[in-house]
Amino acid sequence: KNEVEQSPQNLTAQEGEFITINCSYSVGISALHWLQQHPGGGIVSLFMLSSGKKKHGRLIATINIQEKHSSLHITASHPRDSAVYICARRGNYKLTFGKGTLLTVNP
Amino acid sequence: KAGVTQTPRYLIKTRGQQVTLSCSPISGHRSVSWYQQTPGQGLQFLFEYFSETQRNKGNFPGRFSGRQFSNSRSEMNVSTLELGDSALYLCASSLEANYGYTFGSGTRLTVV
């Protein structure tokens, strides 16, 4: 079992839908990161969490330390949100990544 | 402010050769980390450096090495290249541990 598990692997939505991507990890963390990667593009850091909830525009990230689980929500999704979303746990001076969720938002 | 700069952007090398990739972090960032991204394995951690000290190394063979200079710039080296080393190599910088990361655009290495 991978240290970091993401679900779903692929997600297709219609513009305007509410999106949830889940991330579970098996080992304790110092922080949990959510990253975005557009096809052929670089990686952008969206959130770093160690507890609670953070919001930036239409994106919300939550983490439950006891359950070792984090979620990334996108409200009112838009085609420009189409990308791969990757969660990564930080511990022991390294990042361990999930396999990513490919999100496609259709107009 | 300038972002994380990786050079070169693209590289084609022959099996058995060696390669050096460079990463210039955001000014003031003292931590630099390196990652390999392939379609099969996804993103994998290579090394993390802070103030010229390697703090951790991923599960890669000894052919992969790195270093960080006093100005925080970092290089990674891969010797005796294999076809399987073809990948996107990314570096990221951060102010300190448990701060957010800023990623470079990557170096696309193709080994033929």
Side-chain angles (χ1 to χ4, degrees), chain A residues 5-92:
Chain A
E5 298 276 357
Q6 276 186 247
S7 63
Q9 283 189 306
N10 294 281
L11 184 53
T12 301
Q14 289 300 121
E15 184 173 356
E17 285 186 1
F18 182 83
I19 304 290
T20 296
I21 299 170
N22 295 300
C23 177
S24 297
Y25 52 92
S26 56
V27 184
I29 63 169
S30 58
L32 192 289
H33 293 257
W34 282 99
L35 311 171
Q36 180 194 56
Q37 186 173 33
H38 283 100
I43 293 177
V44 174
S45 178
L46 298 175
F47 295 103
M48 182 184 72
L49 295 159
S50 53
S51 65
K53 175 179 174 177
K54 287 190 177 180
K55 184 175 189 288
H56 186 257
R58 296 179 294 106
L59 273 58
I60 303 166
T62 63
I63 189 166
N64 184 316
I65 297 294
Q66 286 72 32
E67 295 187 2
K68 295 187 172 62
H69 181 269
S70 177
S71 293
L72 177 68
H73 306 284
I74 305 175
T75 62
S77 59
H78 189 276
R80 66 174 173 267
D81 297 326
S82 298
V84 176
Y85 292 85
I86 303 165
C87 75
R89 66 167 286 274
R90 177 167 172 90
N92 195 25

